[in-house]
Amino acid sequence: MNCSTNKDAIETITTHYIDGAFVESLGREVMDIIRPTDGRVIGRVTLADEEDTRRAIATARRAFATYGRSTKEERAKILRRLHEAASVRLDDLTAAMVEEYGGVVRFAGLIVQSGLNAFLAAEKALDEIEWTRSWGKTTVTLEPIGVAGLITAWNANALFICLKLASAVAAGCAVVIKPSELSALQTRVLIEALHEADLPKGLLNVVTGLGNVVGAELVRNPGVDKISFTGSVAVGETIMRDGAATMKRVTLELGGKSPTILLDDGNLNEAIPTALGIAFLNSGQACAAGTRLLVPRKRLEAAERAIAEAMRAFTVGDPADPKTAIGPMVSQKQYERVQSYIRKGIEEGAELLVGGEGRPEGLEAGYFVKPTVFVNVKNDMTIAREEIFGPILSVIAYDSEDEAIAIANDSRYGLHGAVIGTDVDRARRVASQLRAGRVVINGMTDDPQAPWGGFKYSGVGREYGRYGIEAFLEPRAILEA
Ligand code: NAD
């Protein structure tokens, strides 16, 4: 993509990636890219319109006619090339995430790495899938679904692009990606890198634009067979509804209000920093953030003291500094949203243990908020029910294990959960009763072969490993008389 590299000039992006080349945008609307640490304009991106999107879809359809018949071995080679090409730019990608949305560098690096790993994980998963099954005169094969529209959220844009692209390519699909419009700089670095993978022309197309323009065109265009979306519940509902007109297959990775259950045998010195780490992932701007901490009432006072103490490690500041735990919110809008939830928590009777309204001292320029812990929260309060997407933790007391499970499950969301305790068998028993797509025990951990996705309003379908690839496949049965 065209971009100026002169340090004094702001970066400008005017192209999309269509048919294996960077091509000038037909859409003329220009959007500022704003750095969240100081609110300054650091770039400008020319946004795609419907016509750019339709060109990309037509190109992907042409590529699918050939690529849809590729072998498993050919797809494996492509996945390896994608991994190699993207890996070269790991540091640049991490730096772009820090600059563009204020992701803290210690977390941004992990996010990018897990995006890169997705290509290798998909290659491995190719061997786990039973592509053909036969019995009697019947043969069932798994066929690529067609052209996939991949729509991403800003908070881990590079990871989502890599993850969805890896699964789609492994399945034999061609793609049109609509990255978050808040991620144009990161997307440019990633696509420059992926361009070097020398893919079949038209297999990968990327159009940066607004959701209600480019995203909506992907959703309604009959040339797109499947939408894989990561973002908010509100947009997920729109995609499901509008996609019905062309019978779109959908994978929706939506929001969360995830519980962390601290069991009464937990060692607070370890358990509390672990729980806070899960709550404040990606400065609290993570779908999996454990933003409801369920604490046994008989240990509540000790837990509150431990939280107040441990919060000192959650320093706010420059996201490029490896010591910083919490960076700015992505935008002024997100800053205001977080402030409004802090006010709502106070109004509804929750008590502030740490943090509160306003900016932290010395950080008045950007979209920084104070990491905030509310105690005396009831699970029916707004701050315990709605996804805030900021560093705001609600501590909720419980009296019995059964009550903890009931509170954890009393949410419209079901994306993620955590259980922390010394007796691991007991922790497993509790974990097995949580209505969530993923539950971690005694710490945040990942497995690129394990499914990722939500129960209830947290979404439809799964990503990662073979589960992610299966979401881009259709079974076809051939029966002989
Ligand atoms: P968002 O829903 O505002 O935007 C997501 C994407 O959808 C963007 O690319 C946007 O341009 C596009 N979009 C907007 N309107 C559209 C429309 N009408 N049709 C098609 N596309 C449209 O979400 P966001 O603010 O970017 O991300 C935050 C949300 O994403 C949070 O709710 C978070 O929990 C969720 N999320 C979920 C996961 C997960 O894996 N489950 C991961 C990360 C983020």
Side-chain angles (χ1 to χ4, degrees):
M1 292 180 191
N2 285 349
C3 80
S4 64
T5 48
N6 178 348
K7 277 205 158 166
D8 297 330
I10 61 170
E11 297 200 22
T12 57
I13 299 170
T14 60
T15 55
H16 308 296
Y17 188 72
I18 298 176
D19 210 11
F22 294 97
V23 297
E24 284 297 318
S25 182
L26 299 175
R28 298 314 321 149
E29 189 179 343
V30 175
M31 196 183 91
D32 288 341
I33 300 168
I34 293 173
R35 184 166 51 203
T37 47
D38 57 11
R40 293 178 70 160
V41 176
I42 53 167
R44 291 216 169 86
V45 54
T46 306
L47 299 170
D49 65 10
E50 286 88 350
E51 194 46 41
D52 291 300
T53 316
R54 286 194 280 267
R55 277 170 67 185
I57 295 168
T59 302
R61 282 236 75 84
R62 280 196 299 277
F64 176 67
T66 312
Y67 187 67
R69 297 199 303 271
S70 56
T71 63
K72 192 174 88 174
E73 289 69 29
E74 286 163 342
R75 295 176 199 171
K77 271 191 205 147
I78 285 184
L79 288 166
R80 235 168 298 144
R81 291 214 302 274
L82 284 165
H83 176 260
E84 278 161 24
S87 297
V88 174
R89 301 291 296 273
L90 186 142
D91 290 344
D92 294 343
L93 272 167
T94 306
M97 276 178 82
V98 173
E99 172 90 347
E100 188 170 29
Y101 90 83
V104 285
V105 67
R106 59 158 103 151
F107 187 70
L110 296 176
I111 287 277
V112 174
Q113 190 59 58
S114 58
L116 303 181
N117 292 347
F119 295 116
L120 298 182
E123 186 197 344
K124 187 159 171 247
L126 280 174
D127 287 328
E128 287 172 23
I129 293 174
E130 205 177 355
W131 293 90
T132 305
R133 283 186 68 205
S134 305
W135 61 91
K137 291 184 172 182
T138 299
T139 302
V140 179
T141 55
L142 298 179
E143 301 297 323
I145 226 160
V147 169
L150 313 180
I151 303 176
T152 68
W154 54 267
N155 67 323
N157 179 66
L159 164 62
F160 304 140
I161 289 181
C162 293
L163 190 59
K164 291 177 192 299
L165 175 64
S167 299
V169 162
C173 294
V175 308
V176 178
I177 301 177
K178 194 216 88 65
S180 167
E181 59 274 24
L182 298 176
S183 308
L185 296 181
Q186 303 158 67
T187 300
R188 190 210 56 216
V189 176
L190 180 60
I191 303 310
E192 278 174 2
L194 297 181
H195 176 66
E196 298 301 320
D198 197 21
L199 300 179
K201 281 203 174 15
L203 181 59
L204 163 67
N205 304 279
V206 185
V207 270
T208 294
L210 297 178
N212 60 1
V213 178
V214 177
E217 179 61 32
L218 287 172
V219 171
R220 74 176 158 250
N221 194 303
V224 177
D225 302 283
K226 154 110 196 172
I227 295 286
S228 178
F229 169 79
T230 297
S232 61
V233 168
V235 175
E237 286 174 349
T238 305
I239 289 175
M240 220 172 177
R241 192 179 50 243
D242 295 352
T246 48
M247 208 51 78
K248 288 280 185 295
R249 279 72 178 134
V250 291
T251 295
L252 303 175
E253 297 288 349
L254 310 178
K257 190 74 198 177
S258 301
T260 296
I261 300 181
L262 176 62
L263 295 173
D264 60 12
D265 65 353
N267 168 353
L268 293 181
N269 292 335
E270 289 170 13
I272 293 298
T274 300
L276 296 180
I278 297 173
F280 297 131
L281 276 173
N282 207 19
S283 310
Q285 301 175 121
C287 51
T291 50
R292 292 184 296 147
L293 176 57
L294 278 45
V295 176
R297 196 178 305 277
K298 58 186 176 210
R299 303 196 68 191
L300 192 56
E301 270 182 40
E304 287 180 8
R305 277 197 304 274
I307 291 171
E309 176 61 30
M311 280 302 288
R312 296 209 277 198
F314 287 83
T315 49
V316 190
D318 177 5
D321 182 343
K323 291 201 287 294
T324 299
I326 299 191
M329 302 296 92
V330 70
S331 61
Q332 175 72 23
K333 190 170 151 214
Q334 191 59 24
Y335 170 84
E336 279 159 15
R337 180 181 160 88
V338 170
Q339 299 302 316
S340 76
Y341 276 107
I342 296 175
R343 282 193 294 278
K344 190 83 180 165
I346 296 167
E347 270 164 38
E348 291 188 357
E351 285 168 35
L352 283 171
L353 179 70
V354 181
E357 273 187 79
R359 290 179 161 83
E361 222 181 294
L363 292 169
E364 285 78 14
Y367 309 136
F368 294 94
V369 302
K370 296 178 189 164
T372 296
V373 181
F374 277 109
V375 292
N376 208 4
V377 178
K378 307 280 174 292
N379 200 46
D380 59 2
M381 290 179 179
T382 307
I383 53 168
R385 301 210 78 76
E386 296 183 9
E387 183 185 52
I388 300 172
F389 228 53
I392 312 296
L393 174 64
S394 292
V395 177
I396 302 170
Y398 70 83
D399 289 306
S400 66
E401 193 177 294
D402 283 348
E403 195 195 2
I405 294 164
I407 294 172
N409 287 334
D410 178 14
S411 169
R412 76 170 182 156
Y413 293 109
L415 183 64
H416 203 268
V419 183
I420 303 177
T422 304
D423 177 347
V424 176
D425 281 340
R426 187 176 162 211
R428 285 188 193 129
R429 190 178 69 226
V430 171
S432 71
Q433 293 173 77
L434 297 187
R435 306 275 300 156
R438 246 194 209 196
V439 184
V440 295
I441 293 178
N442 286 336
M444 197 63 182
T445 181
D446 191 20
D447 176 348
Q449 302 299 338
W452 175 275
F455 283 39
K456 304 186 265 182
Y457 275 76
S458 289
V460 176
R462 294 293 180 270
E463 296 196 283
Y464 277 86
R466 63 173 294 175
Y467 304 91
I469 299 173
E470 281 164 0
F472 290 92
L473 294 170
E474 295 269 26
R476 182 187 55 213
I478 295 184
L479 291 77
E480 294 170 28

